[in-house]
Amino acid sequence: MKNADLVILGGGPAGLAAALAAREAGVQDILILERDAELGGILNQCIHNGFGLHTFKEELTGPEYAARFADKVKAQGIPYKLNTMVMDLSADKVVTAMNRTDGLFQVQAKAVVLAMGCRERPRGALNIPGTRPAGIFTAGTAQRLVNMEGYLPGRRVVILGSGDIGLIMARRMTLEGAKVLCVAELMPYSGGLKRNIVQCLNDFDIPLKLSHTVVDIEGKERVTGVTIAEVKNGKPVPGTEKHFDCDTLLLSCGLLPENELSRTAGVALSPITGGPQVDESLQTSIPGVFAAGNVLHVHDLVDYVSEEAAAAGTNAAAYILQGAGEAGRSLPVVAQNGVRYTVPVTVHPQATETLTLRMRVDNVYKGKALAVYAGETCLWRRKRPVMAPGEMETVVLKADALAKIPADAANLTVTLEEV
């Protein structure tokens, strides 16, 4: 069995940022394991721009953003293995992986960073009635076919779900010469960023039908048409059906953190996000195992993934070099009144000088205030003109706010309030 101080599972934006931060913090023995043929993860197929505005203060495409981190990893000589599938992670941080060169091998790590990213929700999880012909793709699969393989999946397209990948693919398919007939969204609000609705749908006159879903798929060998209908109280409304003749259906119905390895290792997972439950250092329920990026919770901007992963890498380095410090008292973080979840779910106020809380709301809210309380004491409060599920909210509590936490506080509460 080989040994390594830090093993990072995933060579996408989270894994690369964590590796660079850990090396900067003083850890030399790092190994990145990536199942794809190159570093960069999902960014390699995201050839649209809009990346890097926070991190580099300029607008980059996905491959350009990934290349900046990959080049730094290579320049610093951080080892990585490509085309390597991690098969198992044990509770005592033994990583079992395999590739064609090394065969099956094991690495005993002092610390592990989980950076496996997420995957799309497939058709089987959506319970769409109808036949099962060719021409049904997840939006990410279609994106890879168009941008990396050079294939056009179809010419007349209906998209179900208004997640960011679906919105971006509506524009991409249009630019490639296909006709996007409509984007149907089950919820009464879009799941994507506002800027993507404007730039990808409105600019190309593609209709967005909220509170609609696909109720039938037609075709034997290949999709020949789909029927959508309005939805109320979770059920299609009879008489509102509308038929589209099309040859392709793209599904953009949410992303699921890829946590099979976390589950087998015994990491406690959140029932809401599907990702690990972590504390303020992004450490999971297993000491020395950290998580960051979309494997933790689905982000809207890759800049936030890199920022979060850098923190995980730094904290993993501290764990390796200094051991587990005295954390002090533990406060659970409670989400309520419209806040769907928070990351982290537990904090140790004495262990940090700055606490970053990331969260999403469960609906569209206008003119509400986002607030953080410790018992009856308000630590932070800001008015937000608009909050939507598609856009992540971030709260940063600095030392002066953390100093206000009463000694008898049982938890931190993140909540929405009337202004």
Side-chain angles (χ1 to χ4, degrees), residues 8 27 214 219 296 369 392 412-413 415:
I8 296 172
V27 176
V214 172
L296 179 56
M392 201 166 66
L412 295 187
T413 304
T415 183

Side-chain angles (χ1 to χ4, degrees), residues 346-363:
T346 311
V347 298
H348 304 92
Q350 293 89 349
T352 182
E353 293 183 2
T354 303
L355 174 62
T356 301
L357 296 171
R358 302 189 194 278
M359 66 213 69
R360 288 184 190 265
V361 293
D362 62 7
N363 210 325

Side-chain angles (χ1 to χ4, degrees), residues 390-413:
E391 307 208 13
M392 201 166 66
E393 299 290 332
T394 302
V395 173
V396 178
L397 299 178
K398 298 193 174 170
D400 55 343
L402 295 174
K404 296 180 189 172
I405 298 176
D408 61 348
N411 55 44
L412 295 187
T413 304

Side-chain angles (χ1 to χ4, degrees), residues 72-351:
K72 287 182 185 176
V73 164
K74 292 169 186 174
Q76 295 202 19
I78 298 174
Y80 57 88
K81 290 181 183 290
L82 301 176
N83 298 306
T84 300
M85 178 65 79
V86 177
M87 311 298 292
D88 184 62
L89 171 65
S90 71
D92 53 358
K93 301 185 279 291
V94 174
V95 178
T96 304
M98 66 182 296
N99 59 36
R100 293 177 68 177
T101 308
D102 303 301
L104 189 70
F105 63 95
Q106 289 187 310
V107 183
Q108 173 67 67
K110 292 181 182 175
V112 174
V113 174
L114 306 174
M116 294 89 75
C118 59
R119 64 171 182 265
E120 296 176 279
R121 185 175 276 113
R123 178 188 173 174
L126 300 174
N127 294 325
I128 304 172
T131 51
R132 300 177 66 84
I136 303 171
F137 304 88
T138 62
T141 300
Q143 186 180 52
R144 185 176 180 93
L145 288 171
V146 173
N147 294 346
M148 296 185 75
E149 312 292 343
Y151 296 108
L152 187 65
R155 300 211 168 265
R156 290 178 62 82
V157 184
V158 171
I159 299 177
L160 174 61
S162 61
D164 287 312
I165 307 174
L167 299 176
I168 286 161
M169 282 311 294
R171 175 177 65 184
R172 191 79 187 95
M173 296 292 283
T174 302
L175 292 173
E176 286 299 320
K179 174 67 175 173
V180 179
L181 303 170
C182 83
V183 176
E185 169 57 57
L186 177 67
M187 306 303 288
Y189 50 79
S190 169
L193 294 168
K194 180 70 175 172
R195 76 179 189 201
N196 284 336
I197 297 170
V198 173
Q199 294 172 3
C200 301
L201 299 188
N202 299 353
D203 289 357
F204 293 90
D205 295 324
I206 298 169
L208 172 61
K209 296 190 176 292
L210 299 175
S211 299
H212 280 72
T213 193
V214 172
V215 294
D216 192 25
I217 300 172
E218 297 166 14
K220 189 173 181 183
E221 300 298 325
R222 172 91 192 196
V223 174
T224 58
V226 302
T227 303
I228 69 170
E230 191 176 340
V231 175
K232 278 188 180 172
N233 301 322
K235 294 184 179 178
V237 179
T240 62
E241 295 88 355
K242 185 172 183 182
H243 179 81
F244 293 94
D245 290 324
C246 64
D247 59 16
T248 306
L249 174 65
L250 299 188
L251 306 175
S252 177
C253 302
L255 299 168
L256 306 169
E258 188 112 41
N259 272 298
E260 282 69 26
L261 291 171
S262 314
R263 191 175 289 110
T264 57
V267 170
L269 301 181
S270 163
I272 299 171
T273 64
Q277 296 183 346
V278 296
D279 63 11
E280 75 289 339
S281 69
L282 302 173
Q283 186 171 233
T284 67
S285 57
I286 297 178
V289 178
F290 297 79
N294 283 352
V295 78
L296 179 56
H297 60 128
V298 176
H299 292 60
D300 45 5
L301 297 179
V302 72
D303 303 72
Y304 297 150
V305 168
S306 301
E307 183 184 304
E308 186 177 85
T314 302
N315 294 329
Y319 178 89
I320 292 164
L321 299 173
Q322 301 160 21
E326 186 57 46
R329 67 172 173 152
S330 172
L331 293 180
V333 184
V334 179
Q336 63 181 37
N337 288 349
V339 179
R340 188 159 174 261
Y341 71 84
T342 68
V343 170
V345 296
T346 311
V347 298
H348 304 92
Q350 293 89 349

